[in-house]
């Protein structure tokens, strides 16, 4: 199986295919798996995990053509000329929101349907929620999020607003991904420019990473530490200011940082 794109979808497919006994080759124009969501360091960690489980990956390379044989793709040709034979190709390279209807109705559209914190579009009688919406983000910039949690939470608030409610939905992103025997959860913002505090060992099978701007927790990554994420989400949601020494001391319970 050739997996094109090692974002969340591609990485999950690669892991499942390996576990199902397939030989997997991945092609990713970025430098690592899930680079956009995990940043360079942890994208590198995940890439190594896939390599160790048998995925052959071509990073920094794109696909220039797919060749068919009898109606089935049999060869994937990379931008560097490498030819990969395949029984099946899985393409997971992201989505474009379907904004045609909204645009035709005259709503403001910019990487999704532009909405306020209640899901209201540029027409006060029309609401939008979920993947298709471009909404005010928790960290100040506008975002278009693609998670169940966001679609559900934003829809709740939009429905309440239609009924006259006053609340808004401006929450940090939270999602998880299961790959091999690793449960990976992310809340908030992971960025290589943020200060990193690691609780646990990257070489082990579980750890928690905190990402801080100054002393404010902006993002949390947990690997096989779901209990830490329950606390981590609260730290991010409250923009908690933490004691750096305590945050980095695994003897200090994460909960005590709240
Ligand atoms: C393979 C895959 C795996 C995923 N795994 C996860 C995960 O593990 N965790 C997670 O949090 N998120 C996951 N996601 C993302 C998650 O599916 C989305 O965030 C969520 O479905 C968004 O819900 P939504 O209602 O906004 O959009 P959708 O679920 O995409 O629903 C939009 C609906 O609108 C319809 N539609 C589009 N245009 C029109 C039109 N003009 N008129 C009428 N109807 C229209 C579409 O056909 C579709 O049925 C995954 C996504 C994919 C593709």
């Amino acid at each position: 199986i050739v997996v094109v794109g090692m974002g969340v979808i591609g990485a999950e497919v690669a892991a499942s295919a390996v576990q199902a006994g397939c030989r997997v080759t991945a092609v990713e124009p970025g430098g690592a798996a899930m680079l956009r969501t995990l940043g360079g360091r942890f994208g590198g960690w995940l890439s190594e995990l896939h390599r160790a489980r048998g995925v052959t990956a071509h990073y920094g390379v794109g696909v220039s053509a797919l060749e068919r044989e009898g109606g089935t793709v049999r060869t994937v040709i990379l931008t560097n000329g490498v030819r990969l034979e395949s029984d099946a190709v899985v393409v997971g390279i992201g989505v474009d929101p379907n904004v045609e209807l909204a645009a035709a109705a005259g709503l403001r559209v910019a990487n999704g349907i532009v909405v306020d914190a209640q899901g209201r579009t540029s027409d006060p009688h029309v609401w939008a929620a979920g993947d298709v919406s471009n909404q005010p983000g928790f960290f100040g910039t506008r975002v278009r999020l693609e998670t169940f949690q966001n679609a559900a939470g934003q829809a709740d608030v939009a429905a309440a607003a239609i009924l006259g409610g006053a609340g808004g939905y401006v929450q940090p992103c939270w999602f998880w991904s299961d790959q091999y025997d690793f449960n990976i959860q992310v809340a908030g913002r992971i960025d290589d420019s943020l200060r990193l505090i690691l609780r646990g060992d990257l070489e082990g099978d579980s750890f928690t990473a905190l990402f801080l701007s100054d002393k404010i927790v902006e993002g949390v990554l947990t690997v096989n530490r779901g209990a830490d994420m329950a606390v981590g989400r609260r730290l991010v949601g409250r923009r908690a200011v933490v004691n750096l020494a305590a945050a980095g001391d695994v003897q200090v319970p994460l909960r005590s940082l709240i």
Side-chain angles (χ1 to χ4, degrees):
I1 293 190
V2 174
V3 174
V4 181
M6 276 293 269
V8 182
I9 304 290
E12 288 183 351
V13 169
S16 298
V18 165
Q19 287 175 304
C22 302
R23 202 148 55 80
V24 177
T25 305
V27 183
E28 163 58 54
M34 283 175 63
L35 192 60
R36 195 161 57 99
T37 35
L38 294 184
R41 179 163 185 187
F42 292 94
W45 165 81
L46 185 66
S47 303
E48 173 53 25
L49 187 69
H50 281 278
R51 192 203 60 75
R53 301 296 171 112
V55 174
T56 304
H58 298 256
Y59 292 111
V61 190
V63 170
S64 61
L66 304 175
E67 274 182 6
R68 284 189 300 179
E69 207 181 285
T72 305
V73 176
R74 289 287 177 219
T75 311
V76 178
I77 304 168
L78 307 189
T79 46
N80 60 5
V82 169
R83 297 172 66 87
L84 305 172
E85 303 305 312
S86 66
D87 293 319
V89 180
V90 179
V91 181
I93 55 173
V95 302
D96 285 326
N98 285 356
V99 294
E100 296 82 359
L101 182 64
L107 303 181
R108 209 176 138 222
V109 163
N111 180 30
I113 304 169
V114 176
V115 298
D116 66 14
Q118 292 192 315
R120 195 179 287 98
T121 69
S122 55
D123 180 324
H125 301 293
V126 181
W127 276 260
D131 285 19
V132 82
S133 71
N134 173 337
Q135 65 195 96
F138 184 76
F139 296 103
T141 56
R142 286 197 152 266
V143 290
R144 197 176 61 72
L145 298 174
E146 296 168 11
T147 70
F148 290 132
Q149 176 246 345
N150 178 69
Q154 206 191 2
D156 277 351
V157 169
I162 290 167
L163 297 173
Y169 185 83
V170 183
Q171 293 291 325
C173 172
W174 169 52
F175 74 93
W176 65 90
S177 177
D178 292 312
Q179 297 175 34
Y180 309 105
D181 39 5
F182 290 81
N183 171 258
I184 302 163
Q185 297 197 38
V186 173
R189 189 161 89 81
I190 293 185
D191 188 319
D192 290 338
S193 68
L194 295 170
R195 181 199 296 267
L196 167 67
I197 293 181
L198 189 62
R199 296 168 66 96
D201 182 3
L202 274 191
E203 272 70 51
D205 58 6
S206 82
F207 59 83
T208 293
L210 306 177
F211 299 82
L212 297 93
S213 134
D214 197 8
K215 293 179 182 173
I216 300 171
V217 181
E218 301 230 326
V220 177
L221 164 69
T222 63
V223 171
N224 288 342
R225 288 199 187 174
D228 273 4
M229 183 47 78
V231 180
R233 288 180 67 195
R234 288 163 70 187
L235 291 172
V236 175
R238 293 174 187 197
R239 310 217 71 201
V241 177
V242 297
N243 177 300
L244 297 180
D249 184 348
V250 288
Q251 304 302 325
V252 177
L254 204 56
R255 185 172 295 278
S256 71
L257 300 180
I258 295 177

mmCIF file with all atom_site columns, all heavy atoms in Angstrom, residues 32-53:
data_model
loop_
_atom_site.group_PDB
_atom_site.id
_atom_site.type_symbol
_atom_site.label_atom_id
_atom_site.label_alt_id
_atom_site.label_comp_id
_atom_site.label_asym_id
_atom_site.label_entity_id
_atom_site.label_seq_id
_atom_site.pdbx_PDB_ins_code
_atom_site.Cartn_x
_atom_site.Cartn_y
_atom_site.Cartn_z
_atom_site.occupancy
_atom_site.B_iso_or_equiv
_atom_site.pdbx_formal_charge
_atom_site.auth_seq_id
_atom_site.auth_comp_id
_atom_site.auth_asym_id
_atom_site.auth_atom_id
_atom_site.pdbx_PDB_model_num
ATOM 1   N N   . ALA A 1 32 ? 8.349  15.366 7.985  1.00 0.00 ? 32 ALA A N   1
ATOM 2   C CA  . ALA A 1 32 ? 8.049  14.366 9.013  1.00 0.00 ? 32 ALA A CA  1
ATOM 3   C C   . ALA A 1 32 ? 6.552  14.058 9.012  1.00 0.00 ? 32 ALA A C   1
ATOM 4   O O   . ALA A 1 32 ? 5.758  14.789 8.403  1.00 0.00 ? 32 ALA A O   1
ATOM 5   C CB  . ALA A 1 32 ? 8.477  14.878 10.393 1.00 0.00 ? 32 ALA A CB  1
ATOM 6   N N   . ALA A 1 33 ? 6.195  13.017 9.738  1.00 0.00 ? 33 ALA A N   1
ATOM 7   C CA  . ALA A 1 33 ? 4.774  12.659 9.889  1.00 0.00 ? 33 ALA A CA  1
ATOM 8   C C   . ALA A 1 33 ? 4.081  13.678 10.798 1.00 0.00 ? 33 ALA A C   1
ATOM 9   O O   . ALA A 1 33 ? 4.660  14.138 11.788 1.00 0.00 ? 33 ALA A O   1
ATOM 10  C CB  . ALA A 1 33 ? 4.651  11.258 10.475 1.00 0.00 ? 33 ALA A CB  1
ATOM 11  N N   . MET A 1 34 ? 2.853  14.019 10.469 1.00 0.00 ? 34 MET A N   1
ATOM 12  C CA  . MET A 1 34 ? 2.013  14.924 11.270 1.00 0.00 ? 34 MET A CA  1
ATOM 13  C C   . MET A 1 34 ? 2.750  16.200 11.696 1.00 0.00 ? 34 MET A C   1
ATOM 14  O O   . MET A 1 34 ? 2.593  16.682 12.815 1.00 0.00 ? 34 MET A O   1
ATOM 15  C CB  . MET A 1 34 ? 1.447  14.184 12.497 1.00 0.00 ? 34 MET A CB  1
ATOM 16  C CG  . MET A 1 34 ? 0.288  13.264 12.146 1.00 0.00 ? 34 MET A CG  1
ATOM 17  S SD  . MET A 1 34 ? -0.329 12.255 13.527 1.00 0.00 ? 34 MET A SD  1
ATOM 18  C CE  . MET A 1 34 ? -0.912 13.483 14.680 1.00 0.00 ? 34 MET A CE  1
ATOM 19  N N   . LEU A 1 35 ? 3.526  16.713 10.766 1.00 0.00 ? 35 LEU A N   1
ATOM 20  C CA  . LEU A 1 35 ? 4.358  17.890 11.053 1.00 0.00 ? 35 LEU A CA  1
ATOM 21  C C   . LEU A 1 35 ? 3.509  19.096 11.451 1.00 0.00 ? 35 LEU A C   1
ATOM 22  O O   . LEU A 1 35 ? 3.848  19.849 12.364 1.00 0.00 ? 35 LEU A O   1
ATOM 23  C CB  . LEU A 1 35 ? 5.174  18.216 9.797  1.00 0.00 ? 35 LEU A CB  1
ATOM 24  C CG  . LEU A 1 35 ? 6.301  19.210 9.926  1.00 0.00 ? 35 LEU A CG  1
ATOM 25  C CD1 . LEU A 1 35 ? 7.340  18.739 10.926 1.00 0.00 ? 35 LEU A CD1 1
ATOM 26  C CD2 . LEU A 1 35 ? 6.964  19.439 8.570  1.00 0.00 ? 35 LEU A CD2 1
ATOM 27  N N   . ARG A 1 36 ? 2.370  19.271 10.767 1.00 0.00 ? 36 ARG A N   1
ATOM 28  C CA  . ARG A 1 36 ? 1.530  20.450 11.005 1.00 0.00 ? 36 ARG A CA  1
ATOM 29  C C   . ARG A 1 36 ? 0.959  20.421 12.422 1.00 0.00 ? 36 ARG A C   1
ATOM 30  O O   . ARG A 1 36 ? 0.830  21.460 13.061 1.00 0.00 ? 36 ARG A O   1
ATOM 31  C CB  . ARG A 1 36 ? 0.393  20.464 9.970  1.00 0.00 ? 36 ARG A CB  1
ATOM 32  C CG  . ARG A 1 36 ? -0.351 21.770 9.849  1.00 0.00 ? 36 ARG A CG  1
ATOM 33  C CD  . ARG A 1 36 ? -1.102 21.822 8.516  1.00 0.00 ? 36 ARG A CD  1
ATOM 34  N NE  . ARG A 1 36 ? -2.027 20.706 8.336  1.00 0.00 ? 36 ARG A NE  1
ATOM 35  C CZ  . ARG A 1 36 ? -3.336 20.768 8.561  1.00 0.00 ? 36 ARG A CZ  1
ATOM 36  N NH1 . ARG A 1 36 ? -3.860 21.876 9.003  1.00 0.00 ? 36 ARG A NH1 1
ATOM 37  N NH2 . ARG A 1 36 ? -4.103 19.721 8.342  1.00 0.00 ? 36 ARG A NH2 1
ATOM 38  N N   . THR A 1 37 ? 0.619  19.243 12.923 1.00 0.00 ? 37 THR A N   1
ATOM 39  C CA  . THR A 1 37 ? -0.008 19.177 14.244 1.00 0.00 ? 37 THR A CA  1
ATOM 40  C C   . THR A 1 37 ? 1.001  18.934 15.363 1.00 0.00 ? 37 THR A C   1
ATOM 41  O O   . THR A 1 37 ? 0.779  19.372 16.487 1.00 0.00 ? 37 THR A O   1
ATOM 42  C CB  . THR A 1 37 ? -1.053 18.047 14.303 1.00 0.00 ? 37 THR A CB  1
ATOM 43  O OG1 . THR A 1 37 ? -0.607 16.963 13.511 1.00 0.00 ? 37 THR A OG1 1
ATOM 44  C CG2 . THR A 1 37 ? -2.396 18.514 13.818 1.00 0.00 ? 37 THR A CG2 1
ATOM 45  N N   . LEU A 1 38 ? 2.116  18.235 15.069 1.00 0.00 ? 38 LEU A N   1
ATOM 46  C CA  . LEU A 1 38 ? 3.042  17.863 16.147 1.00 0.00 ? 38 LEU A CA  1
ATOM 47  C C   . LEU A 1 38 ? 4.323  18.688 16.167 1.00 0.00 ? 38 LEU A C   1
ATOM 48  O O   . LEU A 1 38 ? 5.098  18.575 17.113 1.00 0.00 ? 38 LEU A O   1
ATOM 49  C CB  . LEU A 1 38 ? 3.419  16.383 16.024 1.00 0.00 ? 38 LEU A CB  1
ATOM 50  C CG  . LEU A 1 38 ? 2.301  15.362 16.234 1.00 0.00 ? 38 LEU A CG  1
ATOM 51  C CD1 . LEU A 1 38 ? 2.874  13.943 16.170 1.00 0.00 ? 38 LEU A CD1 1
ATOM 52  C CD2 . LEU A 1 38 ? 1.613  15.578 17.579 1.00 0.00 ? 38 LEU A CD2 1
ATOM 53  N N   . GLY A 1 39 ? 4.558  19.504 15.119 1.00 0.00 ? 39 GLY A N   1
ATOM 54  C CA  . GLY A 1 39 ? 5.818  20.231 15.064 1.00 0.00 ? 39 GLY A CA  1
ATOM 55  C C   . GLY A 1 39 ? 6.961  19.294 14.664 1.00 0.00 ? 39 GLY A C   1
ATOM 56  O O   . GLY A 1 39 ? 6.780  18.076 14.523 1.00 0.00 ? 39 GLY A O   1
ATOM 57  N N   . GLY A 1 40 ? 8.150  19.882 14.523 1.00 0.00 ? 40 GLY A N   1
ATOM 58  C CA  . GLY A 1 40 ? 9.291  19.121 14.008 1.00 0.00 ? 40 GLY A CA  1
ATOM 59  C C   . GLY A 1 40 ? 9.780  18.034 14.945 1.00 0.00 ? 40 GLY A C   1
ATOM 60  O O   . GLY A 1 40 ? 10.002 16.883 14.552 1.00 0.00 ? 40 GLY A O   1
ATOM 61  N N   . ARG A 1 41 ? 9.917  18.366 16.222 1.00 0.00 ? 41 ARG A N   1
ATOM 62  C CA  . ARG A 1 41 ? 10.514 17.404 17.140 1.00 0.00 ? 41 ARG A CA  1
ATOM 63  C C   . ARG A 1 41 ? 9.631  16.166 17.319 1.00 0.00 ? 41 ARG A C   1
ATOM 64  O O   . ARG A 1 41 ? 10.093 15.030 17.234 1.00 0.00 ? 41 ARG A O   1
ATOM 65  C CB  . ARG A 1 41 ? 10.735 18.075 18.491 1.00 0.00 ? 41 ARG A CB  1
ATOM 66  C CG  . ARG A 1 41 ? 11.328 17.120 19.490 1.00 0.00 ? 41 ARG A CG  1
ATOM 67  C CD  . ARG A 1 41 ? 11.922 17.822 20.676 1.00 0.00 ? 41 ARG A CD  1
ATOM 68  N NE  . ARG A 1 41 ? 12.566 16.829 21.532 1.00 0.00 ? 41 ARG A NE  1
ATOM 69  C CZ  . ARG A 1 41 ? 13.067 17.107 22.705 1.00 0.00 ? 41 ARG A CZ  1
ATOM 70  N NH1 . ARG A 1 41 ? 13.050 18.337 23.145 1.00 0.00 ? 41 ARG A NH1 1
ATOM 71  N NH2 . ARG A 1 41 ? 13.618 16.167 23.431 1.00 0.00 ? 41 ARG A NH2 1
ATOM 72  N N   . PHE A 1 42 ? 8.335  16.389 17.536 1.00 0.00 ? 42 PHE A N   1
ATOM 73  C CA  . PHE A 1 42 ? 7.461  15.245 17.790 1.00 0.00 ? 42 PHE A CA  1
ATOM 74  C C   . PHE A 1 42 ? 6.988  14.601 16.484 1.00 0.00 ? 42 PHE A C   1
ATOM 75  O O   . PHE A 1 42 ? 6.667  13.417 16.460 1.00 0.00 ? 42 PHE A O   1
ATOM 76  C CB  . PHE A 1 42 ? 6.313  15.659 18.720 1.00 0.00 ? 42 PHE A CB  1
ATOM 77  C CG  . PHE A 1 42 ? 6.825  15.970 20.081 1.00 0.00 ? 42 PHE A CG  1
ATOM 78  C CD1 . PHE A 1 42 ? 7.144  17.266 20.434 1.00 0.00 ? 42 PHE A CD1 1
ATOM 79  C CD2 . PHE A 1 42 ? 7.070  14.950 20.986 1.00 0.00 ? 42 PHE A CD2 1
ATOM 80  C CE1 . PHE A 1 42 ? 7.689  17.552 21.685 1.00 0.00 ? 42 PHE A CE1 1
ATOM 81  C CE2 . PHE A 1 42 ? 7.613  15.227 22.235 1.00 0.00 ? 42 PHE A CE2 1
ATOM 82  C CZ  . PHE A 1 42 ? 7.918  16.534 22.581 1.00 0.00 ? 42 PHE A CZ  1
ATOM 83  N N   . GLY A 1 43 ? 6.999  15.399 15.398 1.00 0.00 ? 43 GLY A N   1
ATOM 84  C CA  . GLY A 1 43 ? 6.795  14.794 14.085 1.00 0.00 ? 43 GLY A CA  1
ATOM 85  C C   . GLY A 1 43 ? 7.925  13.817 13.796 1.00 0.00 ? 43 GLY A C   1
ATOM 86  O O   . GLY A 1 43 ? 7.717  12.722 13.255 1.00 0.00 ? 43 GLY A O   1
ATOM 87  N N   . GLY A 1 44 ? 9.141  14.209 14.197 1.00 0.00 ? 44 GLY A N   1
ATOM 88  C CA  . GLY A 1 44 ? 10.294 13.317 14.036 1.00 0.00 ? 44 GLY A CA  1
ATOM 89  C C   . GLY A 1 44 ? 10.153 12.072 14.894 1.00 0.00 ? 44 GLY A C   1
ATOM 90  O O   . GLY A 1 44 ? 10.462 10.951 14.457 1.00 0.00 ? 44 GLY A O   1
ATOM 91  N N   . TRP A 1 45 ? 9.654  12.259 16.119 1.00 0.00 ? 45 TRP A N   1
ATOM 92  C CA  . TRP A 1 45 ? 9.421  11.119 17.011 1.00 0.00 ? 45 TRP A CA  1
ATOM 93  C C   . TRP A 1 45 ? 8.438  10.138 16.358 1.00 0.00 ? 45 TRP A C   1
ATOM 94  O O   . TRP A 1 45 ? 8.662  8.921  16.324 1.00 0.00 ? 45 TRP A O   1
ATOM 95  C CB  . TRP A 1 45 ? 8.873  11.609 18.349 1.00 0.00 ? 45 TRP A CB  1
ATOM 96  C CG  . TRP A 1 45 ? 8.267  10.526 19.187 1.00 0.00 ? 45 TRP A CG  1
ATOM 97  C CD1 . TRP A 1 45 ? 8.939  9.637  19.988 1.00 0.00 ? 45 TRP A CD1 1
ATOM 98  C CD2 . TRP A 1 45 ? 6.875  10.186 19.274 1.00 0.00 ? 45 TRP A CD2 1
ATOM 99  N NE1 . TRP A 1 45 ? 8.049  8.759  20.563 1.00 0.00 ? 45 TRP A NE1 1
ATOM 100 C CE2 . TRP A 1 45 ? 6.778  9.074  20.145 1.00 0.00 ? 45 TRP A CE2 1
ATOM 101 C CE3 . TRP A 1 45 ? 5.722  10.713 18.709 1.00 0.00 ? 45 TRP A CE3 1
ATOM 102 C CZ2 . TRP A 1 45 ? 5.556  8.482  20.455 1.00 0.00 ? 45 TRP A CZ2 1
ATOM 103 C CZ3 . TRP A 1 45 ? 4.503  10.134 19.011 1.00 0.00 ? 45 TRP A CZ3 1
ATOM 104 C CH2 . TRP A 1 45 ? 4.428  9.028  19.881 1.00 0.00 ? 45 TRP A CH2 1
ATOM 105 N N   . LEU A 1 46 ? 7.348  10.673 15.789 1.00 0.00 ? 46 LEU A N   1
ATOM 106 C CA  . LEU A 1 46 ? 6.331  9.805  15.182 1.00 0.00 ? 46 LEU A CA  1
ATOM 107 C C   . LEU A 1 46 ? 6.872  9.134  13.913 1.00 0.00 ? 46 LEU A C   1
ATOM 108 O O   . LEU A 1 46 ? 6.599  7.947  13.662 1.00 0.00 ? 46 LEU A O   1
ATOM 109 C CB  . LEU A 1 46 ? 5.076  10.624 14.857 1.00 0.00 ? 46 LEU A CB  1
ATOM 110 C CG  . LEU A 1 46 ? 3.898  9.808  14.336 1.00 0.00 ? 46 LEU A CG  1
ATOM 111 C CD1 . LEU A 1 46 ? 3.369  8.859  15.415 1.00 0.00 ? 46 LEU A CD1 1
ATOM 112 C CD2 . LEU A 1 46 ? 2.780  10.720 13.852 1.00 0.00 ? 46 LEU A CD2 1
ATOM 113 N N   . SER A 1 47 ? 7.650  9.876  13.136 1.00 0.00 ? 47 SER A N   1
ATOM 114 C CA  . SER A 1 47 ? 8.240  9.292  11.919 1.00 0.00 ? 47 SER A CA  1
ATOM 115 C C   . SER A 1 47 ? 9.103  8.098  12.278 1.00 0.00 ? 47 SER A C   1
ATOM 116 O O   . SER A 1 47 ? 9.081  7.057  11.613 1.00 0.00 ? 47 SER A O   1
ATOM 117 C CB  . SER A 1 47 ? 9.092  10.332 11.186 1.00 0.00 ? 47 SER A CB  1
ATOM 118 O OG  . SER A 1 47 ? 8.326  11.466 10.882 1.00 0.00 ? 47 SER A OG  1
ATOM 119 N N   . GLU A 1 48 ? 9.879  8.250  13.342 1.00 0.00 ? 48 GLU A N   1
ATOM 120 C CA  . GLU A 1 48 ? 10.753 7.157  13.786 1.00 0.00 ? 48 GLU A CA  1
ATOM 121 C C   . GLU A 1 48 ? 9.921  5.953  14.249 1.00 0.00 ? 48 GLU A C   1
ATOM 122 O O   . GLU A 1 48 ? 10.269 4.795  13.990 1.00 0.00 ? 48 GLU A O   1
ATOM 123 C CB  . GLU A 1 48 ? 11.681 7.668  14.894 1.00 0.00 ? 48 GLU A CB  1
ATOM 124 C CG  . GLU A 1 48 ? 12.533 6.608  15.575 1.00 0.00 ? 48 GLU A CG  1
ATOM 125 C CD  . GLU A 1 48 ? 13.353 5.754  14.607 1.00 0.00 ? 48 GLU A CD  1
ATOM 126 O OE1 . GLU A 1 48 ? 13.667 6.217  13.496 1.00 0.00 ? 48 GLU A OE1 1
ATOM 127 O OE2 . GLU A 1 48 ? 13.655 4.589  14.965 1.00 0.00 ? 48 GLU A OE2 1
ATOM 128 N N   . LEU A 1 49 ? 8.793  6.246  14.909 1.00 0.00 ? 49 LEU A N   1
ATOM 129 C CA  . LEU A 1 49 ? 7.897  5.167  15.355 1.00 0.00 ? 49 LEU A CA  1
ATOM 130 C C   . LEU A 1 49 ? 7.416  4.357  14.149 1.00 0.00 ? 49 LEU A C   1
ATOM 131 O O   . LEU A 1 49 ? 7.445  3.112  14.154 1.00 0.00 ? 49 LEU A O   1
ATOM 132 C CB  . LEU A 1 49 ? 6.705  5.799  16.076 1.00 0.00 ? 49 LEU A CB  1
ATOM 133 C CG  . LEU A 1 49 ? 5.733  4.858  16.773 1.00 0.00 ? 49 LEU A CG  1
ATOM 134 C CD1 . LEU A 1 49 ? 6.397  4.214  17.965 1.00 0.00 ? 49 LEU A CD1 1
ATOM 135 C CD2 . LEU A 1 49 ? 4.494  5.636  17.212 1.00 0.00 ? 49 LEU A CD2 1
ATOM 136 N N   . HIS A 1 50 ? 6.990  5.053  13.103 1.00 0.00 ? 50 HIS A N   1
ATOM 137 C CA  . HIS A 1 50 ? 6.519  4.361  11.899 1.00 0.00 ? 50 HIS A CA  1
ATOM 138 C C   . HIS A 1 50 ? 7.655  3.597  11.224 1.00 0.00 ? 50 HIS A C   1
ATOM 139 O O   . HIS A 1 50 ? 7.466  2.478  10.753 1.00 0.00 ? 50 HIS A O   1
ATOM 140 C CB  . HIS A 1 50 ? 5.884  5.362  10.920 1.00 0.00 ? 50 HIS A CB  1
ATOM 141 C CG  . HIS A 1 50 ? 4.476  5.738  11.297 1.00 0.00 ? 50 HIS A CG  1
ATOM 142 N ND1 . HIS A 1 50 ? 3.397  4.962  10.984 1.00 0.00 ? 50 HIS A ND1 1
ATOM 143 C CD2 . HIS A 1 50 ? 3.987  6.793  11.987 1.00 0.00 ? 50 HIS A CD2 1
ATOM 144 C CE1 . HIS A 1 50 ? 2.285  5.525  11.449 1.00 0.00 ? 50 HIS A CE1 1
ATOM 145 N NE2 . HIS A 1 50 ? 2.625  6.643  12.076 1.00 0.00 ? 50 HIS A NE2 1
ATOM 146 N N   . ARG A 1 51 ? 8.832  4.217  11.188 1.00 0.00 ? 51 ARG A N   1
ATOM 147 C CA  . ARG A 1 51 ? 9.977  3.523  10.572 1.00 0.00 ? 51 ARG A CA  1
ATOM 148 C C   . ARG A 1 51 ? 10.272 2.229  11.318 1.00 0.00 ? 51 ARG A C   1
ATOM 149 O O   . ARG A 1 51 ? 10.451 1.165  10.713 1.00 0.00 ? 51 ARG A O   1
ATOM 150 C CB  . ARG A 1 51 ? 11.211 4.441  10.583 1.00 0.00 ? 51 ARG A CB  1
ATOM 151 C CG  . ARG A 1 51 ? 12.349 3.928  9.723  1.00 0.00 ? 51 ARG A CG  1
ATOM 152 C CD  . ARG A 1 51 ? 13.695 4.488  10.138 1.00 0.00 ? 51 ARG A CD  1
ATOM 153 N NE  . ARG A 1 51 ? 14.049 4.163  11.520 1.00 0.00 ? 51 ARG A NE  1
ATOM 154 C CZ  . ARG A 1 51 ? 14.458 2.978  11.931 1.00 0.00 ? 51 ARG A CZ  1
ATOM 155 N NH1 . ARG A 1 51 ? 14.604 1.984  11.080 1.00 0.00 ? 51 ARG A NH1 1
ATOM 156 N NH2 . ARG A 1 51 ? 14.724 2.765  13.206 1.00 0.00 ? 51 ARG A NH2 1
ATOM 157 N N   . ALA A 1 52 ? 10.275 2.319  12.657 1.00 0.00 ? 52 ALA A N   1
ATOM 158 C CA  . ALA A 1 52 ? 10.591 1.134  13.466 1.00 0.00 ? 52 ALA A CA  1
ATOM 159 C C   . ALA A 1 52 ? 9.551  0.026  13.285 1.00 0.00 ? 52 ALA A C   1
ATOM 160 O O   . ALA A 1 52 ? 9.848  -1.149 13.467 1.00 0.00 ? 52 ALA A O   1
ATOM 161 C CB  . ALA A 1 52 ? 10.695 1.534  14.938 1.00 0.00 ? 52 ALA A CB  1
ATOM 162 N N   . ARG A 1 53 ? 8.317  0.411  12.933 1.00 0.00 ? 53 ARG A N   1
ATOM 163 C CA  . ARG A 1 53 ? 7.264  -0.601 12.732 1.00 0.00 ? 53 ARG A CA  1
ATOM 164 C C   . ARG A 1 53 ? 7.217  -1.106 11.292 1.00 0.00 ? 53 ARG A C   1
ATOM 165 O O   . ARG A 1 53 ? 6.351  -1.889 10.935 1.00 0.00 ? 53 ARG A O   1
ATOM 166 C CB  . ARG A 1 53 ? 5.893  -0.035 13.113 1.00 0.00 ? 53 ARG A CB  1
ATOM 167 C CG  . ARG A 1 53 ? 5.783  0.441  14.546 1.00 0.00 ? 53 ARG A CG  1
ATOM 168 C CD  . ARG A 1 53 ? 5.953  -0.703 15.519 1.00 0.00 ? 53 ARG A CD  1
ATOM 169 N NE  . ARG A 1 53 ? 6.061  -0.211 16.879 1.00 0.00 ? 53 ARG A NE  1
ATOM 170 C CZ  . ARG A 1 53 ? 5.146  -0.400 17.808 1.00 0.00 ? 53 ARG A CZ  1
ATOM 171 N NH1 . ARG A 1 53 ? 4.060  -1.080 17.531 1.00 0.00 ? 53 ARG A NH1 1
ATOM 172 N NH2 . ARG A 1 53 ? 5.333  0.079  19.021 1.00 0.00 ? 53 ARG A NH2 1
#
